[in-house]
Structure formats: structure tokens, C-alpha cells
Amino acid sequence: MNSPPKDEQMLAIAAVERDTGLSKDTLRVWERRYGFPCPVRDDNGDRLYPFDQVDKLRLIRRLLDQGNRPARVVGASLEELANLLDLADLGKTTAGAQSSVIDVAAFLESVRLHRCIELRASLQQMLLKQGLQRFAADTLCLLNAEIGQAWMRGELDVPEEHLYTEQVQNVLRTAIGSHANISGRPRLLLTTFPDELHGLGLLMVEAMLVPEGATCVSLGIQTPIQDIASAAVAGEFDIVALSFSGAFPVRQAIDGLKDLHRLLPAGIELWAGGAAVQGKHKRLEQVRIIDSLDDAVAALLEWRANHKG
Amino acid sequence: MNSPPKDEQMLAIAAVERDTGLSKDTLRVWERRYGFPCPVRDDNGDRLYPFDQVDKLRLIRRLLDQGNRPARVVGASLEELANLLDLADLGKTTAGAQSSVIDVAAFLESVRLHRCIELRASLQQMLLKQGLQRFAADTLCLLNAEIGQAWMRGELDVPEEHLYTEQVQNVLRTAIGSHANISGRPRLLLTTFPDELHGLGLLMVEAMLVPEGATCVSLGIQTPIQDIASAAVAGEFDIVALSFSGAFPVRQAIDGLKDLHRLLPAGIELWAGGAAVQGKHKRLEQVRIIDSLDDAVAALLEWRANHKG
DNA sequence: TCAACAGTTTGTCCAAGACAAAATGAACTC
DNA sequence: GAGTTCATTTTGTCTTGGACAAACTGTTGA
């Protein structure tokens, strides 16, 4: 009843759903409406997607996450490549303009080639050189952006991103653990909404605030809103902080934050950071929007100023 | 185009899919075949599942994971409860018979009430008392089993399990990090197969082996088989170790391990541990089956005996 | 600059049928 | 007994084409 793609060099629809994040319904309706993808069929009439079409679907998914509309991108490969290259090159040059303490190209190559040990060693070295906060706010921020762009250019795949995430997590958790502190104020509860799978942002915030003497507790990713509220009350937290990746639907983020604010008692502040909530200050007046990792520290100092004595 | 369940106290089919892990197709076909669930319909004819039915579905899901068959459990609630209680009570008493250094009931209560700080503190305390290896092999093993049974009894839900996992991860990664070592032999690559979501086993193995001087690199969960092989070669690993939870299909585990063994060069050993591969020594002669966390250390010593000089 | 409106796009859901992979159980062998 | 082989049932996934509401677009008017 599983659909192992073993037969040939093609993937069944369930595998494509997993690999691309596009639902089976969406894949079928695109085929009907736009004529792409156009999978072959096996003996049973089931769709089999050739690898190159799956690659193209992954590319399309990225462009959609970037804000493009399906009618525009589910078309000719040449135009897409043009759009893609425009955006990617733009990102590339701006990032390349920043000087940095790290050889980004060499680092990306380590990720691409699965050189796990090298990867861990260079992260560890940068951490020692810069200290936890600068490491998170500068180096990891830069690396995340670079990894994202490499992914956008199709140079990296899911397992490479997993490898990177895993090694960064190891380094960060270890470093954060050595600052451990279970009595400092404020006490922050960190987590993400149910549809958000990206949890690195939580650890990076923790890396910024724990050295400042705050107490951070992470619930991990994908916590239902009601559970966030009940955990915040039960744990007597001062602040609930949410993280949103760029892929998270803006509307869902805003509605969810408003709902959560309604569920939280007056004494508990609500913070939100990440690409999906940038510049949404006006629409979220009850929520402290965190613009950057350094801004998280600023927000912490504000809280202390408001709660001293 | 999302399906927010906001309207009433019921959930749309997509929300039920997310909450129960049962696919939309499965939910619809159960309704057709077994007459349960029997959701009401909104103005548009879309299914709306009352909360109590979703709860029952969650319960059914647990029973299925336990090995029950749908035809048996997608029936009357009374029978299910009977089955459930039988199994749970059995587990409870056997586990309760073991003496331990930790007040399991109090610990579970902390998880249930989201007392994150308390949770972390007691884990930390046990770690200091026992040392990393005994903490992992004894205490965490016991706690995992207890959490699993509490989940089975319906006392815990997804977010509580997340909370537990997150705190254990924090404590373990921190402790492992302090043993850090990037030159010791053997070098192990740790990961899971694509359909395996449970990654705590990997960390626990790491906790056993790193203090013995081994070098462990985790790729995280859900790595495609081909990527495991290429990462193992690229990183010059001595051993690839896989972890399988009890929910993982046995057949898929065995086939996947055989495939992976074929892809690995002769010099790289393949280890597998976890509930799904227990007692499968005969069917997997090329694979070193790890029966317990202590057995992982034994396997390590065997490897060293075979590679000394 | 913002709000309200109409028009289009787009993802999700529905129905009932079909089928292959998995589980079961019976018959058989070592 | 333990392990194979085979036929039978169970069970999850995939199929089709139609339908519709939420989200997005772009226009109008204050």
C-alpha cells in the first residue's frame, strides 16, 4: 500500500508529493489546467513522474514560495530559468558584497559533498572565534541565506539541507547548554505554529538571549495555538516568541498571532520574528515584531526596562 | 484555499488528516466501508468531523500502530476501550515492577502539565547523578517506554510528546557536545530511513558511543538510501547505523537495509537498532542488529577487536 | 492612501470504482 | 515446532471530472 518508486527511474505521485510539498490534488489539477507536469503511466494507469519533471516541480515550488503565481511559472522552462536567475543573481551579489570571516564557497562545497566532519569543525571554529551571539547573528544568518539561495539555484537537495541543519543544531545546542540558566528573567517560551517546519530560528533566538541571562524553553516546532497558550500559563512565562520562515503564509501568521494574543493573559507578551512577519508592525500592534536577531536582544532590554524594580 | 476549522467546534478533513495522521483517502474509505467516522456536512457538502470522533480516530490510530487491524478497531467504542485497557494495563504493571532512581509518576505529571522548567531540571539532575551512558540506557529508556504507554492510554497528546522530546534532546546534545571528539575511531554515520520520523534513538546511541571515544555524525531523520550511501563514502565512515521505531514497517526496514548494504563498499559496516528490527538477526545476516543501547557499546568493542593494530 | 467592489485564479474536496501491496490462514515440508 | 508456499481477504492508494470558496488582482470612488 506504500508506493515505492523502485520499479524504474520515476516517482509515484505520493513520492512526488513528499519530495515537492505539492499535494496530490494540486499535481493532478495542474496537469489538467496547465498541461504540466505530464507524467507517463504505469500498467495500472497510475502516474509516474520522470526525475526531470520532479526537479522542475521543485523549482516551481520555490518560485511560488517567492511570491510568483502558478499561471506564470507552470509554463516554459526558459522563462522560468530567466526569472529564477534574475532573483538568485540579485541575492547572490548582495550577499557576496558583504565581507565575512568565512569562506562561504568552501563551506557550501562541504555541505554539497556531505563532508560532515569538516562542516562541524568549521562551525565550531567560527563559534569559538566570534562567541555565541555574533556567531548566530552574523555567521549563521549569512550561511542560512546562502544555503537558501543555493537551494533556490538547485545546487542543494533536501538531504544536504538536513545535514547542514543537523550540524548547526548540534553546535548551537551545545553552546547554549553551557550557558544554562533556569532562574533568569524574563522567561521565554519558544515555538512555531502547526504548519511551520523550520525550527532553526528558535535556536538562533535562544543563542542570542540565553547569554543575556534570559531563560528560554523551546517546545519545538508545530505546536497548536491552544497548547502554546496553556503551556505559557502553566510555565509562568513572561514572553511567548514565535518564529516564521519565509514559506509560511502571511495571512495565516497574522490570524494565528491575533488568536494567540486573545488566548494569552495580559501579563504575557507576544513576540514574532522571521521573514513572514517582517514589516507587519501596523497589522500586528499587539505583537512585538522582531526584525533581526540583534533586535531580539533589544526587545529583551526593553522588557527589562519596563519590568525593573 | 486553506481549510481553517474556525466556523464551529468541528474540524475539516484536512485538519483531521493533520491531527490523526490518517490520509483523506483513508478517512473517506473508512466512512464508506465501516460506517465510521460519520462526519456531518457543511453547506457545501464538505465533511465536518466532531471533536469526539477525532478523539476516537486518534485512539484508533494508536491501536493500529500497536498492530491491531482496522476491521477490528474501527467498530464499537466499548470493545476498543476494553482492548486498549488490556494492553495498557499489561504494560503499566510490567514497567511499574522495575525499581528506578526516578519518580516516574511525578515526571509524567510534569510532562502532562507542560512544566518545561521542572522537566529540564529533573532530566539534568538525573544526568549528573548517573552519567551520560547510564542516563541514556536506563533512565531515558524507561521514560520513553512510560511516555509511549501514557500516549497509548490517551493521557498525552502530540504537543506533550514534543515537549518531552525537545527537552531530552537539549539535555542529550549538550552532554554529548561536551565529550566532543572528531578524530576517534570508529567513525559512525547515524540516520533513519525516509519514512521514519523518530530521531531520539539516534541521539541515545550517540550518547552511548561518544563517551567510548567514537566519532558520531548524525544526518538527522529521513535520509534517502542513496544519500546515506554517498554520505558514508564521502565522509570515510567505518559504520552506518540506522534507527527504527516500533511503528516502522518491518518489511520496509529489511528490504531497505538489504538495499543499503548493497550500496555500501565492503569496508563499511551496517548496524540497525530499534523495535522494528529486534530479533531479525536471521533475516539480516549482513547487518549487525543492535538489541539494546548497551549492545551498541558491545558492538563498538567488537569492531575495535576486529580492527586493532 | 485606503476601502469596497467585481472578476479571476487556484487549491481543496467530493464521488464511486479499481487495483496492487500487505496481512492472514491453510497446507505442506524439513 | 519452525519455516515455505500458496490462495484469500483486507486495506490503502490512485483514478476521473466536476464543483466551489478562499485568495488574489485590479478597478473604482472617497
Side-chain angles (χ1 to χ4, degrees):
Chain A
M1 294 164 200
N2 285 339
S3 45
K6 57 185 172 189
D7 282 352
E8 322 186 18
Q9 294 288 23
M10 312 201 200
L11 300 180
I13 192 168
V16 177
E17 176 180 44
R18 179 163 40 71
D19 278 20
T20 64
L22 300 164
S23 79
K24 293 170 194 143
D25 277 321
T26 301
L27 290 168
R28 284 190 279 253
V29 87
W30 280 6
E31 184 180 341
R32 200 194 315 167
R33 287 189 185 140
Y34 311 116
F36 183 88
C38 44
V40 297
R41 302 304 182 111
D42 67 6
D43 302 337
N44 194 35
D46 289 7
R47 291 171 175 82
L48 282 180
Y49 294 83
F51 269 125
D52 55 341
Q53 292 196 28
V54 178
D55 288 337
K56 190 170 168 186
L57 284 170
R58 256 192 293 261
L59 184 60
I60 291 171
R61 172 65 143 98
R62 289 167 205 158
L63 292 171
L64 290 185
D65 289 345
Q66 286 276 300
N68 294 75
R69 303 201 62 183
R72 284 196 172 278
V73 294
V74 191
S77 170
L78 296 174
E79 286 189 80
E80 285 164 35
L81 276 176
N83 281 340
L84 174 78
L85 286 177
D86 284 352
L87 296 174
D89 279 353
L90 202 68
K92 177 78 176 183
T93 49
T94 55
Q98 304 176 355
S99 71
S100 90
V101 295
I102 152 189
D103 183 345
V104 174
F107 186 87
L108 284 180
E109 194 63 5
S110 295
V111 176
R112 215 173 56 73
L113 295 178
H114 295 191
R115 309 282 317 189
C116 329
I117 311 261
E118 220 171 280
L119 211 56
R120 184 193 285 188
S122 54
L123 288 171
Q124 200 74 53
Q125 184 189 333
M126 290 183 274
L127 170 62
L128 285 175
K129 199 162 170 180
Q130 304 186 287
L132 183 52
Q133 288 182 312
R134 291 338 300 165
F135 174 66
D138 300 337
T139 303
L140 284 185
C141 247
L142 173 64
L143 286 178
N144 284 348
E146 289 287 335
I147 293 275
Q149 282 159 22
W151 155 268
M152 206 76 62
R153 291 194 299 271
E155 294 171 14
L156 299 182
D157 220 330
V158 176
E160 285 81 20
E161 212 192 342
H162 271 48
L163 172 64
Y164 169 74
T165 306
E166 186 77 15
Q167 302 310 322
V168 170
Q169 247 190 71
N170 270 321
V171 171
L172 276 185
R173 293 212 197 221
T174 303
I176 292 168
S178 71
H179 284 263
N181 172 359
I182 57 167
S183 58
R185 282 300 179 100
R187 297 156 57 93
L188 287 99
L189 182 66
L190 305 169
T191 189
T192 74
F193 278 170
D195 288 332
E196 173 66 64
L197 294 168
H198 204 294
L200 217 45
L202 300 173
L203 269 179
M204 290 170 68
V205 171
E206 208 171 332
M208 296 304 289
L209 300 184
V210 165
E212 300 287 340
T215 303
C216 291
V217 173
S218 174
L219 283 187
I221 58 177
Q222 300 204 79
T223 308
I225 294 184
Q226 290 186 337
D227 293 294
I228 299 175
S230 64
V233 174
E236 297 171 6
F237 286 92
D238 303 305
I239 298 162
V240 173
L242 279 295
S243 166
F244 298 90
S245 74
F248 200 88
V250 174
R251 180 57 159 276
Q252 199 177 334
I254 292 177
D255 289 349
L257 284 168
K258 286 181 178 170
D259 285 348
L260 179 54
H261 186 265
R262 216 169 299 127
L263 291 173
L264 287 176
I268 303 184
E269 277 188 22
L270 182 55
W271 294 5
V277 296
Q278 293 307 312
K280 299 291 178 299
H281 303 76
K282 295 167 192 166
R283 298 175 69 180
L284 285 168
E285 296 193 341
Q286 319 95 326
V287 181
R288 173 66 161 91
I289 303 294
I290 309 294
D291 290 315
S292 66
L293 286 173
D294 286 313
D295 191 36
V297 176
L300 177 74
L301 298 178
E302 285 169 27
W303 185 92
R304 287 202 174 131
N306 294 336
H307 292 78
K308 62 187 163 194
Chain B
M1 297 165 199
N2 286 338
S3 46
K6 55 187 173 188
D7 282 353
E8 319 184 18
Q9 294 288 24
M10 312 203 202
L11 300 181
I13 193 169
V16 178
E17 177 180 42
R18 179 164 37 73
D19 279 19
T20 63
L22 300 164
S23 79
K24 293 170 192 134
D25 278 320
T26 302
L27 289 168
R28 284 192 279 254
V29 87
W30 280 7
E31 183 180 342
R32 199 196 313 170
R33 288 191 184 138
Y34 312 116
F36 183 87
C38 45
V40 297
R41 303 301 181 116
D42 67 5
D43 302 338
N44 193 36
D46 289 6
R47 291 171 174 81
L48 282 179
Y49 294 83
F51 269 125
D52 54 342
Q53 291 196 27
V54 178
D55 289 337
K56 190 171 168 186
L57 284 170
R58 256 192 293 261
L59 183 60
I60 290 171
R61 174 66 143 98
R62 288 169 203 155
L63 293 172
L64 290 185
D65 288 344
Q66 281 279 293
N68 294 77
R69 304 203 60 186
R72 285 197 173 278
V73 295
V74 190
S77 171
L78 297 175
E79 287 190 80
E80 284 164 37
L81 276 176
N83 279 341
L84 176 78
L85 287 177
D86 285 349
L87 296 174
D89 279 352
L90 201 66
K92 178 80 177 183
T93 48
T94 55
Q98 305 177 353
S99 72
S100 90
V101 295
I102 152 189
D103 184 345
V104 174
F107 186 87
L108 284 180
E109 194 65 2
S110 295
V111 176
R112 215 174 57 71
L113 295 177
H114 295 192
R115 309 283 317 187
C116 329
I117 311 263
E118 221 170 277
L119 211 55
R120 183 192 287 190
S122 53
L123 288 171
Q124 201 74 53
Q125 186 190 332
M126 289 184 275
L127 170 62
L128 286 175
K129 200 163 169 180
Q130 303 186 288
L132 183 51
Q133 289 181 314
R134 292 338 302 164
F135 174 65
D138 299 338
T139 304
L140 284 185
C141 247
L142 174 64
L143 286 178
N144 284 349
E146 288 288 335
I147 294 274
Q149 282 159 24
W151 156 266
M152 207 74 63
R153 290 194 300 271
E155 294 171 14
L156 299 182
D157 221 328
V158 176
E160 285 82 20
E161 212 193 341
H162 272 48
L163 173 64
Y164 168 74
T165 305
E166 186 78 14
Q167 302 311 322
V168 171
Q169 244 188 76
N170 270 321
V171 172
L172 276 186
R173 292 209 198 222
T174 303
I176 292 169
S178 71
H179 284 264
N181 173 358
I182 57 167
S183 59
R185 281 300 179 100
R187 297 154 58 93
L188 287 98
L189 182 66
L190 305 169
T191 189
T192 74
F193 278 171
D195 290 330
E196 173 66 66
L197 294 167
H198 204 294
L200 217 45
L202 300 174
L203 268 179
M204 290 169 68
V205 172
E206 209 171 332
M208 295 303 289
L209 300 185
V210 166
E212 300 288 341
T215 303
C216 291
V217 173
S218 174
L219 283 187
I221 58 177
Q222 300 204 79
T223 307
I225 294 184
Q226 290 187 337
D227 292 295
I228 299 175
S230 63
V233 175
E236 297 171 7
F237 286 92
D238 303 306
I239 298 162
V240 172
L242 279 295
S243 165
F244 298 88
S245 74
F248 199 88
V250 174
R251 181 57 159 277
Q252 198 177 333
I254 291 177
D255 289 349
L257 285 169
K258 285 181 179 170
D259 286 348
L260 179 54
H261 185 266
R262 215 169 300 129
L263 291 173
L264 287 176
I268 304 183
E269 276 187 23
L270 182 55
W271 294 7
V277 295
Q278 293 307 314
K280 298 291 177 299
H281 305 74
K282 293 167 193 166
R283 297 176 68 181
L284 286 167
E285 297 194 339
Q286 318 95 327
V287 181
R288 173 65 162 91
I289 303 295
I290 308 294
D291 290 317
S292 67
L293 286 173
D294 285 314
D295 191 35
V297 176
L300 177 74
L301 298 179
E302 285 169 27
W303 184 92
R304 287 200 174 135
N306 293 334
H307 292 76
K308 62 188 162 192

